[in-house]
Amino acid sequence: MVKNAYAAGNTQLTKMADKVNQLSGTFQILPDFLGSDQPRTYALMAMTTSEERSSGGLIGSVGVVTTDNGKINIGDFRSNGEYIPYGAGDPTEDEQRIFQQWGPLNMSFDVRDLAVYPDTSRSAEGMRAIWQRTPWGSNTQLDGVLMVDPVFLQELTKISGNVTIPDGTVLTGDNTAEFLLNKVYVDYPVSMQDALFAQVAEQAVGSMFSNVDLAKLTKVAQLMGSMAEGRHFSMYAFDETAEKPLVMQVLLHRLRAVKSIRRWECM
């Protein structure tokens, strides 16, 4: 009886400790992310898991998130087609061998395939390499990336409110993922699909930190942690000060990913 009671209590306390650590880590991240010390610019990479990649899915569009002393601005999204002319994300020889030469993946390493890396830091570095070649990014420092998929956006709408797209369709915490993973391909022409995904991401993420109070901030922190565990959300900051708490959290999964890459390289 004592042993069973101890085991049950230990399990509950461990879960509680994990949750506290998760929230603590996220709260450490947010001030730097929100530009508490200087303005910051992030690439918001919208992924569709209908075409899976190691870190989520094919990158359909990329928006710009700027933060300055707690104020967040979501800039225009550009489709992956606008980024393709600016080349690939500087893969290493080993990465080319693993993801191209060995097949059958044959990844392009352009913006569409940047989530092929299981290590978020490599996806971020690839995004920065392409970003610096573009007319809109060449004179703007990229401080990091956010990678989100339809499941994350659906959960976000539960916290931040519904999203309404131009034709009047209302996306909620119950139907957003289904819409972005299925209905958008069935009910809308190809020319509209990336734009609709971008509109949903822009509205959902834009409201993420609007009208913030402690209750909402706690829900956002919990969401970031749980979604990161399922690879529905990732973030990476190039600034070492901002990156330090990230490394300690499940948000990056860096240690696990690096070990996986090294195993592949040794094969």
Side-chain angles (χ1 to χ4, degrees):
M1 291 176 63
V2 172
K3 180 180 178 181
N4 291 339
Y6 172 81
N10 185 57
T11 299
Q12 293 176 4
L13 288 173
T14 299
K15 290 181 178 179
M16 184 182 298
D18 289 343
K19 184 67 69 177
V20 170
N21 287 336
Q22 184 182 94
L23 293 175
S24 175
T26 304
F27 287 144
Q28 289 180 54
I29 293 163
L30 290 180
D32 282 316
F33 168 73
L34 294 173
S36 61
D37 57 344
Q38 65 184 51
R40 297 186 182 275
T41 300
Y42 300 90
L44 177 56
M45 305 164 69
M47 305 181 292
T48 172
T49 47
S50 294
E51 299 181 55
E52 291 187 357
R53 301 292 186 270
S54 300
S55 288
L58 179 141
I59 308 298
S61 58
V62 180
V64 179
V65 179
T66 56
T67 65
D68 185 7
N69 199 27
K71 296 180 180 179
I72 297 180
N73 180 60
I74 309 295
D76 292 336
F77 275 73
R78 298 178 185 272
S79 70
N80 53 28
E82 294 184 66
Y83 277 91
I84 289 174
Y86 300 100
D90 295 344
T92 66
E93 290 183 5
D94 282 329
E95 288 164 348
Q96 289 178 337
R97 175 166 52 85
I98 293 168
F99 295 114
Q100 276 187 333
Q101 298 171 14
W102 282 0
L105 298 176
N106 195 26
M107 295 290 103
S108 67
F109 294 107
D110 65 31
V111 70
R112 295 169 297 182
D113 291 335
L114 289 183
V116 69
Y117 305 110
D119 183 352
T120 306
S121 68
R122 288 296 296 131
S123 299
E125 289 164 359
M127 183 68 240
R128 180 171 61 178
I130 298 172
W131 170 269
Q132 291 172 340
R133 301 186 199 115
T134 67
W136 54 86
S138 58
N139 295 318
T140 303
Q141 174 180 302
L142 191 65
D143 295 297
V145 304
L146 304 172
M147 303 174 69
V148 303
D149 76 0
V151 175
F152 176 80
L153 296 177
Q154 174 169 291
E155 294 303 308
L156 195 55
T157 61
K158 292 180 180 179
I159 298 173
S160 302
N162 298 341
V163 170
T164 302
I165 59 177
D167 67 2
T169 300
V170 178
L171 304 181
T172 70
D174 296 316
N175 68 356
T176 299
E178 180 185 8
F179 176 84
L180 294 175
L181 292 172
N182 179 266
K183 289 187 176 299
V184 72
Y185 298 104
V186 175
D187 298 337
Y188 298 85
V190 174
S191 60
M192 294 180 61
Q193 291 167 4
D194 285 342
L196 286 170
F197 198 113
Q199 289 167 12
V200 175
E202 182 174 352
Q203 288 188 51
V205 177
S207 62
M208 188 174 179
F209 295 106
S210 63
N211 302 317
V212 173
D213 56 23
L214 182 58
K216 182 177 180 181
L217 193 59
T218 300
K219 290 179 181 178
V220 169
Q222 291 174 329
L223 176 65
M224 290 168 67
S226 62
M227 289 290 99
E229 289 177 357
R231 304 295 281 183
H232 301 295
F233 168 78
S234 298
M235 64 185 297
Y236 186 86
F238 295 113
D239 186 301
E240 291 184 1
T241 302
E243 173 65 8
K244 187 174 181 180
L246 282 172
V247 174
M248 300 173 65
Q249 298 303 311
V250 296
L251 293 173
L252 291 181
H253 301 271
R254 289 186 67 194
L255 297 179
R256 185 185 309 167
V258 169
K259 289 178 181 177
S260 297
I261 290 174
R262 286 175 179 167
R263 282 200 298 270
W264 294 339
E265 290 175 350
C266 292
M267 290 177 63

